[in-house]
Amino acid sequence: MIVLLTDFGAADPYVGQVRLRLAEGAPGVPVIDLFHDLPNFAIQASAYLLYAYCRDVPAGAVIMAVVDPGVGGARHALVLRAGGRIYVGPDNGLFEMVARRDGVESCEALTIPAEAAPTFHGRDVFAPAAAALARGARPCARPAPLTRFSDWPDDWACVLFIDHYGNAVTGLRARPGLRALMAGGRRLKRARFFAEGAPGEPFFYENANGLIEIAVREGSAAAILGLQLADPLLVLD
């Protein structure tokens, strides 16, 4: 299985080009499009989302993750093994939370083919490597250390992602003692599920991936609270 998480978007041809390369290199291997609207260029936000949304990916799967504004530059292209899964993507912080929470089993730097387009390593570097790994082969690589970002908080009190409902996913992992937060200038209470919220009244809850999410029953929390990506939150315990 190959699982894709990118900021490529669904409307442009980039995901299709990646999938063509995967089909060529690993015919018959299932490809799961998990996330193609990670926040554009937002490496740190995507690192928290990557860990949360890949918790249920089975061991042995190959996860190709690409948020890579520095493509073509000095950063390495990596194969990282952590938590029984294989990650392929740029060494720019995208795998920081995976490494921190699951531990690093091994890390290798991929050889960049001379013919690879310097602006599209997703297609020309990461996809061929992911395909090789999915069929049990080893791409051309050498041991290399993972670049770490130790100053990033374990939980990030800000808005990471806003879905099409207007729900705001945050970088806070849910915990029992968290009962109230401030967002958009308003104090929000916790609910267990949507039916506990009054129509039009913002609240927060633990989403299906273990993160705190801000919502409005049958409405848009982003619109009502004026939330945008990277907006800070205040935890009120």
Side-chain angles (χ1 to χ4, degrees), residues 24-81:
E24 178 185 23
V29 174
V31 178
I32 308 299
D33 296 292
L34 184 57
F35 226 133
H36 288 305
D37 49 359
L38 290 170
N40 292 344
F41 318 123
I43 297 165
Q44 185 175 356
S46 297
Y48 291 82
L49 293 168
L50 173 66
Y51 177 82
Y53 282 82
C54 287
R55 293 188 311 165
D56 295 329
V57 173
V62 177
I63 298 168
M64 177 182 146
V66 187
V67 176
D68 196 17
V71 61
R75 63 97 185 101
H76 286 141
L78 293 182
V79 175
L80 174 73
R81 297 175 188 269

Side-chain angles (χ1 to χ4, degrees), residues 58-128:
V62 177
I63 298 168
M64 177 182 146
V66 187
V67 176
D68 196 17
V71 61
R75 63 97 185 101
H76 286 141
L78 293 182
V79 175
L80 174 73
R81 297 175 188 269
R85 305 174 189 91
I86 306 170
Y87 295 84
V88 180
D91 182 28
N92 59 8
L94 191 56
F95 301 132
E96 171 62 29
M97 303 317 295
V98 168
R100 188 181 301 186
R101 295 172 182 170
D102 285 345
V104 175
E105 296 162 16
S106 68
C107 186
E108 298 176 293
L110 292 164
T111 299
I112 308 296
E115 66 274 15
T119 58
F120 202 0
H121 283 185
R123 181 193 66 188
D124 294 347
V125 179
F126 302 131

